[in-house]
Amino acid sequence: MSIRNPKQALYEQFSIVAKALGHPLRLEMIEHLAQGGRSVEALAAKLSQPVANISQHLQALRRAGIVSAERDGKFVHYSLADDSVLSAFAAVRGVAERQLAEVDRIVRGYFDARDDMRPVTRDELQTLMRDGLVTLIDVRPKDEFALGHVPGAINVPLGKVRAWSTDAAIGREIVAYCRGPWCVMSFEAVAALRALGHSARRLEDGMPEWKAAGLPVAVVA
Amino acid sequence: MSIRNPKQALYEQFSIVAKALGHPLRLEMIEHLAQGGRSVEALAAKLSQPVANISQHLQALRRAGIVSAERDGKFVHYSLADDSVLSAFAAVRGVAERQLAEVDRIVRGYFDARDDMRPVTRDELQTLMRDGLVTLIDVRPKDEFALGHVPGAINVPLGKVRAWSTDAAIGREIVAYCRGPWCVMSFEAVAALRALGHSARRLEDGMPEWKAAGLPVAVVA
DNA sequence: CTGTCATTCAACAATTCTATTGAATGACGA
DNA sequence: TCGTCATTCAATAGAATTGTTGAATGACAG
């Protein structure tokens, strides 16, 4: 290692963090960990990746101070080290959304086809919920719902949305949310519900953003 | 390229941005560009790097939508594409500051030795300036000062701080700022001024953050 | 103590990133 | 049109990153 002045040393540290964010799989891991802490194996299962691969990426994230590890018996429980990680993710996403034409292309080509309406903002949702005007569904898997969800939301995992919507007597508009602003599941859910004749919209972003905004979070006992 | 679902495609785009931020030299380039747009050659001179190297890194930053290029005669003028780039930089820096022990070590080992006092916040500075209680100096090079500075600030490039402080009749506390929160120059300036018996403090961060906060910026005519 | 199992480590080839060099491009002024 | 000059491109070698494999570690249960 060459001699560095403090300025270069600091830039090097900052670049460690950015470098750690610079891999699609690691970003996906962060989004999953934002739903709640997980073991290596559980995370590997969620992402359909070899355990060793996930373990290595977790090491990389840990070296960058992005995740923290805590041993729990024979498991090692990983979780996001800090809420500032979410802001960094959001900031990077923001640059990409504004500046990369490819993002726009992907969004138009896939997401817009499934949701041509303006999403519901967090503020709007709170008003609608208070006035009892909407049914809020959390389309994430059961385990993620259990770790924390918007108070009043019903857990309807994506695969069960069709069955649920025919069974339940829904007289109100449905609002769906999942892991984050571009989480595919809520788009799919809204598309499926509309195809069945329901009135449905997406929440503008997901659980981690809700929590980061300081809003109340419900946990399954 | 393998077949990707939209989720993976989006993560890949986000990772392009993060990857572009994942190099110390590129971060330094961003901090310089945040002072104002520059040509390839000018930037290369500032960073003491070969022109071709800077050019290539600029291409990388441009592909990631971080900088934008604009031809101006025989020069190509590069500047930050968006203010969101600064928030992304700040967010990454924030994670590093909170989570990486090495950052703390560098800061303690170098910066604290030069400035053991709490920096002046932007709000404080505005009050102090309004009441005429401080002399504000911008210790960046002349060209960067010209592109935008805090109204009321005097440009005293780092190398001229000693001479200036003996010449000028200073009866007030001095506040120094430069390129950003960890810009070495303002630490050096404060250390030099204190060694000469003056009362001096740093502004908590630099010009880009001042501007990003929506505060007024003065430009040399 | 021993077996089991979650996790990590070590080593490898494949790929990507990096800095350097020198040549190519393209805009300006004469 | 021609020379000059800022910038970019192309090619290279060297370094770092990636995913895979299988073995090592370390904690728990019996």
Side-chain angles (χ1 to χ4, degrees), chain A residues 4 11 16-17 25 33 36 38 43 71 76 96 98 114 131 134 138 143 145 161 174 179 181-182 197 202 207 216:
Chain A
R4 299 164 309 175
Y11 281 126
I16 288 173
V17 174
L25 184 52
L33 289 175
R38 301 205 165 282
L43 197 56
R71 187 165 267 282
V76 175
R98 290 175 195 227
R114 281 170 178 63
D131 299 344
V134 293
D138 182 324
D143 58 326
F145 178 82
V161 165
I174 304 166
R179 292 178 185 138
W182 298 119
R202 265 185 341 107
M207 186 59 224

Side-chain angles (χ1 to χ4, degrees), chain B residues 15 79 164 173 196 212:
Chain B
S15 78
S79 45
W164 168 80
E173 184 174 28
L196 291 168

Side-chain angles (χ1 to χ4, degrees), chain A residues 21 27 87-97, chain B residues 14-15 17-18 21 88 92:
Chain A
L21 294 174
L27 289 177
S87 5
F89 191 166
V92 166
R93 192 174 56 214
V95 173
E97 285 166 356
Chain B
F14 301 157
S15 78
V17 174
L21 294 174
V92 166

Side-chain angles (χ1 to χ4, degrees), chain A residues 177-221:
Chain A
Y177 75 89
C178 52
R179 292 178 185 138
W182 298 119
C183 176
V184 177
M185 298 187 293
S186 64
F187 286 88
E188 299 281 8
V190 166
L193 288 169
R194 290 202 190 145
L196 291 168
H198 294 286
S199 168
R201 280 198 290 166
R202 265 185 341 107
L203 180 61
E204 61 176 347
D205 35 36
M207 186 59 224
E209 291 80 11
W210 178 275
K211 195 175 173 186
L215 297 171
V217 173
V219 178
V220 172

